[in-house]
Amino acid sequence: MLMNTQRVPRHVHIGRVLGIVVVAVLIVLLLVLSVFDWNRLRRPIERMASADLHRQVHIDHLSVQLWRRNPSARIDGLSIANPSWAPGNMAQIGSIDLAIEPWRLFTGHLVLARLQIDQPQVTLLRDADNRANWDFSSDQEEKQKPQKPGPPAHIPAIHLFTMNGGLLTVNDRVRKLTFDGSVSADERKARSASGFELKGHGHLNDKPFELTFTGSPLFNIQFDKPYDYDALLRAGELQATARGAIDHPFDMAHLSSTVDFRGENLASLHYLTGLALPFTPPFHLSGDLRRDGMLFSLKNLQGTVGDSDLHGDIRVDASGERPKFNANLISHALDLSDLAPSVGAGVQNDKGSDAARTHADTEAPKSQQASGKLLPTYQFDFDGLRSMDASVELRADAVKTQKMPIQAVDLKLVLEHGVLTLDPADLTLPQGKLGGAIRINAEQSVANTSIDLRLSNVKLAQFRSAKMSEPPIEGDLLSRVVLNGTGNSVHDILASSNGELVAVIPDGQMREGFAELMGINVARALGLLMTGSQKADGIRCGIAAFKVDQGKASAQPLVLDMDTVDITGSGGFDFNTEDLNLRLKGASKRFDPLRVRAPIIIHGTLAKPSIGLDPKSLAAQGGIAAALGVVATPVAALAAFIDPGLAKNQDCVKLLSSGPEKAAEHPGPPQLTRK
């Protein structure tokens, strides 16, 4: 009887043999690893780590335990040196003891069952040349350009984390930050208490500060649930708080928090954020902060800056070499004076000293009036403009101002590669508009600035005090300012500027008392003013044009033609010294023996103009000089509408005469359409 036997295929035999060989090799390997002296690997590990980090790495002892439920490793005496430009070590750690959960590796996650760090001492340094010891890309012998920031830290999940005797020292000369703090973590002490705490003190922008950061315990942590934290920083008048959660534990790339900032000056936040922020009065802002990778957003922003309210959203993209700052802001009660510090008004010059600049960045700006000057002299350091890009829109639907009625403000600021453009820069009046564009090219150490502003269809009747039953002057005012200058302060820009300033009143009317004073018929004018006469004198045409050459403005022409008075003017003013020197000569169209035949002199400064009669011409008319104190008041009131001390670059507007019959001599105003 024959037996049927099934022949086993050859490839099955080969597979069995290979399987046996692999299992045998693994068993032998595990046996070897179990008795292997892992400390022999510390030298090769040191060499590889030193080459990768571009600095010396040293390990005193290394041990590994494989035959455990959670395999573990221990490193004793780990040190990481600083780069060659900084002495000492960046990190000195007594010991690191860690254990992994091996089955998590099959799911693609590295999870530490335990991490214990004893006696870690970490020193973070950055010098004035922007070299940082936490940058491991090179040895950094040369001055460093701003680098594209690296990705946010992603730390493996840890079930049990303890740290004993941790010390952190920070000395960052770029951010003007020094810090000495202790780091502790012990999940075993109290599960309801904070599992992680960083606490210390130091100086931020030369101001003492304290920092406390706490995180929730890690016991029974769930990797799909947020990890809560709280942070508090106090630095002088600056206080910042954050309360929020990391989306997934130890993944610092995705987190959210509610933040609250308050302080004396928004510029001081540069040392926390790295952003070039403007000088401001005291502020208090809060909102919802969100981080996703290198994208940061601050939504539901609300608060106050000075006496102004502020609302909106902010977004920062920090993934490039320069952060990109975008903001859309709205104010329902904007005090225009709160914008003055942003152009240097009330900010003290630093004179090159770190201490003085610290004061400027930290303290609230003071009133510009204390200096007696109209034009801010603060010297801006435009390095900040070259360190970031920005797009900011600010709209205000209610505006508070002392000198001119403004209903709304619409500003858009764009900053790209060191070139800042403000366009539009519009102020809406109840009747008329002031608008235009300003461009600051700060690519070089000394900035070049161009200004193109205009007043359009402004009704002069809206400029009157509450005590006046009727406006002293009526009509349309059109004006344009085109200037180009260099410098790092408003004063230097205007003191070096070239260009033109033109203002036109094509028609209108003035209270006859004011017109007679411009004549000057003292007896008749005072009589009309004292009786409150509202009789008006027609304005046929008024032109005030100034040519600006290296900050010196000269009138050409300066004319005003009225029904009863012809007025012409000469002179000018100087943006550098802020001195005024204008001479107005009036010719009454009526014969009156009481008219004073003396020009009006406008002198003083842009901030404090004064008006009077030419004393030389009055020498033969000394009796009339006694009336000067009475005469100056109404003339000054009129000048308040057209005076060089008025807003921005309309400072130089003065009204003098030229009649229509002189059209050949004065052909009329230029077209004020925008280029």
Side-chain angles (χ1 to χ4, degrees):
M1 184 176 181
L2 297 176
M3 295 180 62
N4 293 328
T5 60
Q6 185 175 4
R7 185 175 182 140
V8 178
R10 181 178 178 83
H11 69 274
V12 175
H13 282 292
I14 295 174
R16 288 175 179 174
V17 172
L18 290 176
I20 294 171
V21 171
V22 170
V23 171
V25 170
L26 289 175
I27 293 174
V28 172
L29 180 61
L30 290 174
L31 290 173
V32 172
L33 293 176
S34 65
V35 298
F36 180 74
D37 183 6
W38 290 90
N39 195 47
R40 294 182 178 180
L41 293 180
R42 63 188 177 91
R43 297 306 181 197
I45 293 175
E46 287 176 350
R47 289 192 293 269
M48 289 187 294
S50 298
D52 188 53
L53 299 179
H54 300 281
R55 69 211 38 201
Q56 187 66 39
V57 176
H58 175 75
I59 299 173
D60 284 345
H61 190 268
L62 172 66
S63 61
V64 176
Q65 298 292 334
L66 292 179
W67 299 108
R68 295 183 177 182
R69 181 173 180 269
N70 295 320
S72 64
R74 180 182 174 91
I75 299 173
D76 292 303
L78 172 64
S79 64
I80 302 174
N82 275 317
S84 60
W85 55 267
N89 290 325
M90 174 185 177
Q92 186 82 37
I93 303 174
S95 66
I96 301 175
D97 189 355
L98 61 89
I100 67 169
E101 296 181 352
W103 58 92
R104 297 279 191 176
L105 298 175
F106 295 102
T107 64
H109 296 91
L110 174 61
V111 178
L112 302 183
R114 180 184 74 255
L115 176 62
Q116 179 175 332
I117 303 176
D118 291 323
Q119 306 303 317
Q121 299 181 26
V122 178
T123 301
L124 302 180
L125 303 174
R126 179 158 57 178
D127 67 6
D129 291 333
N130 202 41
R131 297 180 299 184
N133 70 342
W134 62 83
D135 180 3
F136 297 100
S137 59
S138 68
D139 197 36
Q140 303 179 350
E141 285 298 332
E142 302 295 331
K143 182 176 180 178
Q144 298 294 298
K145 295 180 179 179
Q147 301 292 317
K148 179 179 178 180
H154 183 90
I155 305 171
I158 307 168
H159 271 307
L160 179 60
F161 178 44
T162 60
M163 181 181 294
N164 300 311
L167 297 176
L168 174 64
T169 300
V170 180
N171 190 344
D172 187 342
R173 295 192 63 185
V174 173
R175 294 287 178 89
K176 295 187 178 180
L177 168 68
T178 62
F179 178 77
D180 290 294
S182 61
V183 186
S184 63
D186 193 343
E187 304 287 332
R188 297 167 296 186
K189 290 184 177 178
R191 298 190 179 190
S192 61
S194 298
F196 177 85
E197 182 178 72
L198 169 63
K199 189 173 184 179
H201 59 86
H203 287 80
L204 178 64
N205 193 26
D206 292 334
K207 292 287 184 179
F209 86 97
E210 297 179 356
L211 172 66
T212 301
F213 179 95
T214 58
S216 299
L218 303 178
F219 269 112
N220 301 319
I221 194 168
Q222 300 182 46
F223 301 120
D224 59 345
K225 297 292 181 65
Y227 175 76
D228 297 330
Y229 67 88
D230 289 281
L232 170 63
L233 181 145
R234 289 192 181 95
E237 298 297 327
L238 175 63
Q239 177 175 304
T241 61
R243 171 171 292 182
I246 303 171
D247 289 5
H248 302 288
F250 308 103
D251 183 1
M252 305 302 292
H254 302 280
L255 57 86
S256 59
S257 66
T258 299
V259 295
D260 186 281
F261 301 96
R262 65 180 69 205
E264 292 292 292
N265 191 339
L266 267 178
S268 63
L269 286 179
H270 165 73
Y271 303 103
L272 287 180
T273 65
L275 301 172
L277 300 175
F279 294 121
T280 69
F283 67 93
H284 181 197
L285 300 172
S286 62
D288 299 324
L289 178 67
R290 175 71 194 174
R291 174 178 184 172
D292 290 295
M294 299 307 292
L295 298 178
F296 300 81
S297 63
L298 184 59
K299 295 186 177 181
N300 301 319
L301 173 69
Q302 56 184 340
T304 58
V305 177
D307 293 327
S308 305
D309 72 320
L310 203 62
H311 311 271
D313 298 320
I314 295 175
R315 183 175 182 271
V316 178
D317 183 353
S319 60
E321 292 185 5
R322 294 189 314 279
K324 296 180 180 179
F325 180 91
N326 292 273
N328 194 331
L329 306 174
I330 297 175
S331 176
H332 301 302
L334 175 66
D335 189 334
L336 209 59
S337 63
D338 291 332
L339 297 179
S342 64
V343 296
V347 184
Q348 299 298 316
N349 274 309
D350 60 13
K351 299 181 181 178
S353 70
D354 289 340
R357 177 167 292 281
T358 294
H359 176 84
D361 292 345
T362 305
E363 304 296 332
K366 305 298 187 295
S367 171
Q368 185 73 13
Q369 297 300 321
S371 68
K373 298 290 185 180
L374 178 69
L375 304 178
T377 59
Y378 179 78
Q379 296 288 324
F380 284 95
D381 181 357
F382 286 128
D383 286 347
L385 296 186
R386 296 187 288 271
S387 67
M388 62 179 284
D389 293 336
S391 177
V392 179
E393 293 187 44
L394 171 62
R395 295 184 301 278
D397 51 24
V399 183
K400 175 185 175 183
T401 182
Q402 296 181 346
K403 293 187 177 181
M404 58 188 302
I406 298 177
Q407 288 186 329
V409 172
D410 190 0
L411 306 175
K412 183 174 181 180
L413 180 150
V414 175
L415 173 62
E416 291 183 350
H417 299 278
V419 179
L420 184 150
T421 302
L422 193 61
D423 186 9
D426 292 345
L427 306 180
T428 301
L429 283 68
Q431 297 174 315
K433 185 176 183 180
L434 168 64
I438 300 173
R439 184 177 185 269
I440 301 175
N441 187 336
E443 293 177 297
Q444 305 300 322
S445 58
V446 179
N448 181 278
T449 300
S450 58
I451 301 169
D452 189 349
L453 301 174
R454 70 191 64 241
L455 281 168
S456 56
N457 301 318
V458 173
K459 305 295 183 182
L460 292 173
Q462 63 188 305
F463 300 100
R464 64 173 179 175
S465 70
K467 297 180 180 180
M468 295 181 178
S469 59
E470 295 293 334
I473 185 170
E474 298 181 59
D476 290 343
L477 173 63
L478 296 89
S479 179
R480 185 176 182 185
V481 178
V482 178
L483 296 172
N484 187 283
T486 59
N488 291 357
S489 71
V490 173
H491 172 271
D492 289 353
I493 291 168
L494 294 179
S496 64
S497 64
N498 299 298
E500 293 181 284
L501 302 92
V502 179
V504 176
I505 302 178
D507 56 65
Q509 60 182 9
M510 183 186 299
R511 281 183 60 196
E512 192 174 71
F514 285 93
E516 292 286 351
L517 281 171
M518 298 293 286
I520 305 172
N521 186 323
V522 177
R524 177 171 171 79
L526 291 179
L528 291 170
L529 291 172
M530 292 174 66
T531 59
S533 173
Q534 302 301 321
K535 187 176 180 181
D537 192 13
I539 299 175
R540 298 179 181 179
C541 180
I543 302 173
F546 289 83
K547 184 74 172 179
V548 182
D549 183 14
Q550 291 298 302
K552 294 180 174 59
S554 56
Q556 49 183 1
L558 194 58
V559 295
L560 177 64
D561 173 47
M562 302 181 64
D563 290 342
T564 61
V565 179
D566 274 344
I567 301 173
T568 59
S570 61
F573 59 92
D574 190 334
F575 278 125
N576 183 34
T577 62
E578 299 195 19
D579 290 336
L580 274 170
N581 183 20
L582 289 170
R583 182 185 179 93
L584 309 182
K585 185 176 181 180
S588 176
K589 295 181 179 180
R590 300 190 184 103
F591 172 76
D592 194 327
L594 294 177
R595 182 174 67 85
V596 179
R597 294 175 176 82
I600 296 175
I601 302 299
I602 302 176
H603 52 98
T605 66
L606 296 179
K608 295 182 178 180
S610 59
I611 189 169
L613 300 181
D614 187 347
K616 295 180 181 179
S617 299
L618 284 175
Q621 296 175 282
I624 303 297
L628 181 58
V630 181
V631 173
T633 300
V635 176
L638 175 60
F641 305 113
I642 51 176
D643 170 59
L646 289 178
K648 296 188 178 179
N649 291 301
Q650 311 307 320
D651 310 283
C652 56
V653 178
K654 295 294 171 186
L655 300 181
L656 293 167
S657 72
S658 167
E661 65 275 16
K662 301 179 182 178
E665 181 180 354
H666 302 296
Q671 294 296 317
L672 298 181
T673 56
R674 188 169 180 174
K675 292 181 180 179

